[in-house]
Amino acid sequence: MGRSPCCDKVGLKKGPWSPEEDEKLLDYIQQHGHGSWRALPSKAGLERCGKSCRLRWTNYLRPDIKRGHISLQEEQTIIQLHALLGNRWSTIASHLPKRTDNEIKNYWNTHLKKRLIKMGIDPTTHRPNNLALTCGESKDSANLSHLAQWESARLEAEARLVHETKPIMLNPHHYYQLPSTTPPPPPPPDQPCLDVFKVLAWTNPGEDISTVILNGLLPPIPILNSSDNTLPIPTLGLCNGNLSITDINSIETSGACTTGKPNNNLFYDDHQHVVKGMMENSEYSNDARIDPFHPTYVADSLSFPSFMEDLTDLQPSSISTADDVCWGVVEEDKIYY
DNA sequence: AAAAAATCCAACCGCCTCCTC
DNA sequence: GGAGGAGGCGGTTGGATTTTT
């Protein structure tokens, strides 16, 4: 298959676009549509190759694109999706309305990637760099098992992505904003609900939050408050406040946040408030209710590690509840955060 | 104030997939 | 089935801008 000649081989212009060129391209497409990109330049009176025109249109001139400031919510989405999909920028972009893959890619490379590295997190794997050092050998097999589960979920989600035509809407109130006392109002009817990927909460009021070892599949990388570099952690019991950026390095993963059939393993009170929940560590790949876009984790207790050790054999009945913990609203087999 | 270094990001390159014939 | 063209995608570049020395 022969390659089409590139711009320099046929003497076409390269480099930055002038306002006049932009205007020509814009005018032409507005009047005729782009049609064949290869044929467009000559028709529009541009000394550019079709590919260059397409790129200019797609990444800059298109009227339905938003440029500039990336919001915190968008950052969260990018990181979540990157953790799941890797460098599949076009797929990631499809879930960020009006953003182009090029912009997201640039933003990742210039901002987010560096930020994660600073946090001691591998931007490729989204796992702490010191994972190998902090995980004991006895935990290795469990790690592998859970990583396999993670990969399974990842692949499944990818398959869904490929087949789904509708973009997945992220709940702007979701991440790290679990209510401590009052459940949030149910989402509007047209808002897609969140299937549960990871639900995990534990309380032990009064413990020092900075010493927590979070034994779980590495959650999607937390977004720091841009103002003070802190990670918002929802208030649970007497534990509250923010986990500072330096504490993130102490997070240790061994794969504990799992999924399963939601209602079987959630704990909720008469008011339909989840007081403590964890998905069953089984039937991971059989249960289609996995939505890795919406994982949630909460960690706030020194009791967490010992609790996690027996995780794989954990039965729902063995988890006690804490009356003062409340997060999420259960509706049928879904949870709204 | 000037030079050097760092950062940003638009645009390009080349590979890949899809579609048509 | 496969050849070839068109468009899409991700990696990379390099010029412009900003920050630091």
Side-chain angles (χ1 to χ4, degrees):
Chain A
M1 169 171 59
R3 286 181 53 76
S4 54
C6 62
C7 308
D8 53 351
K9 284 180 184 165
V10 292
L12 296 176
K13 190 180 172 190
K14 290 169 64 175
W17 281 64
S18 68
E20 291 76 23
E21 288 178 307
D22 280 346
E23 198 178 336
K24 280 184 182 178
L25 181 58
L26 202 54
D27 284 349
Y28 181 84
I29 293 178
Q30 281 175 347
Q31 286 184 33
H32 307 96
H34 64 70
S36 164
W37 286 111
R38 172 164 279 243
L40 183 146
S42 58
K43 291 180 181 173
L46 289 161
E47 293 182 345
R48 294 270 182 175
C49 66
K51 204 168 181 176
S52 179
C53 293
R54 178 173 57 80
L55 218 58
R56 184 63 180 171
W57 171 257
T58 305
N59 291 333
Y60 198 87
L61 295 177
R62 230 175 54 198
D64 61 333
I65 58 174
K66 182 168 65 179
R67 301 171 51 76
H69 177 69
I70 306 266
S71 69
L72 182 62
Q73 177 60 31
E74 286 175 312
E75 278 191 1
Q76 289 180 337
T77 304
I78 293 169
I79 295 175
Q80 297 273 336
L81 292 175
H82 187 272
L84 180 71
L85 301 168
N87 296 352
R88 292 167 66 174
W89 305 116
S90 61
T91 309
I92 294 172
S94 70
H95 293 282
L96 285 141
K98 300 187 177 182
R99 296 290 186 185
T100 69
D101 55 352
N102 206 41
E103 185 173 25
I104 291 167
K105 179 172 59 180
N106 281 333
Y107 193 75
W108 173 265
N109 286 329
T110 57
H111 295 92
L112 300 180
K113 193 173 173 182
K114 290 173 187 172
R115 194 186 303 170
L116 296 191
I117 290 169
K118 269 187 183 176
M119 291 163 62
I121 293 165
D122 186 324
T124 305
T125 62
H126 289 248
R127 304 181 68 204
N129 284 327
N130 60 357
L131 183 63
L133 298 173
T134 56
C135 287
E137 200 169 324
S138 62
K139 295 177 181 173
D140 284 356
S141 58
N143 287 345
L144 288 173
S145 164
H146 289 297
L147 285 172
Q149 290 181 333
W150 166 257
E151 188 60 16
S152 169
R154 204 175 95 101
L155 292 172
E156 182 170 344
E158 285 189 24
R160 285 175 52 196
L161 267 179
V162 168
H163 290 102
E164 278 180 3
T165 51
K166 279 199 211 166
I168 293 172
M169 300 300 291
L170 298 183
N171 184 338
H173 303 297
H174 175 58
Y175 296 108
Y176 314 113
Q177 293 183 21
L178 304 180
S180 57
T181 56
T182 309
D190 60 341
Q191 180 173 12
C193 61
L194 306 175
D195 292 342
V196 175
F197 173 52
K198 293 182 269 187
V199 179
L200 187 57
W202 197 254
T203 57
N204 190 4
E207 295 290 357
D208 178 5
I209 195 172
S210 67
T211 58
V212 164
I213 295 176
L214 175 61
N215 286 339
L217 281 177
L218 182 66
I221 303 306
I223 303 294
L224 301 176
N225 290 331
S226 55
S227 56
D228 57 4
N229 273 354
T230 57
L231 169 66
I233 292 288
T235 298
L236 288 177
L238 296 180
C239 296
N240 59 62
N242 293 321
L243 185 63
S244 77
I245 186 170
T246 55
D247 295 323
I248 290 173
N249 291 328
S250 69
I251 289 176
E252 178 180 345
T253 65
S254 70
C257 301
T258 61
T259 187
K261 207 168 178 181
N263 268 353
N264 290 351
N265 302 295
L266 295 177
F267 297 81
Y268 49 91
D269 61 22
D270 292 338
H271 305 292
Q272 292 280 284
H273 299 156
V274 176
V275 293
K276 189 167 293 180
M278 199 184 93
M279 310 316 296
E280 189 179 36
N281 186 20
S282 64
E283 297 180 54
Y284 198 96
S285 57
N286 294 334
D287 193 309
R289 301 182 186 288
I290 298 171
D291 192 343
F293 294 108
H294 305 100
T296 295
Y297 75 95
V298 179
D300 66 343
S301 167
L302 280 175
S303 67
F304 208 80
S306 58
F307 163 64
M308 300 311 299
E309 279 176 13
D310 298 319
L311 180 72
T312 54
D313 298 318
L314 197 65
Q315 296 302 311
S317 59
S318 68
I319 305 176
S320 60
T321 61
D323 294 335
D324 56 348
V325 180
C326 157
W327 54 301
V329 177
V330 175
E331 278 192 17
E332 296 182 352
D333 58 351
K334 290 148 185 152
I335 297 177
Y336 296 103
Y337 295 115

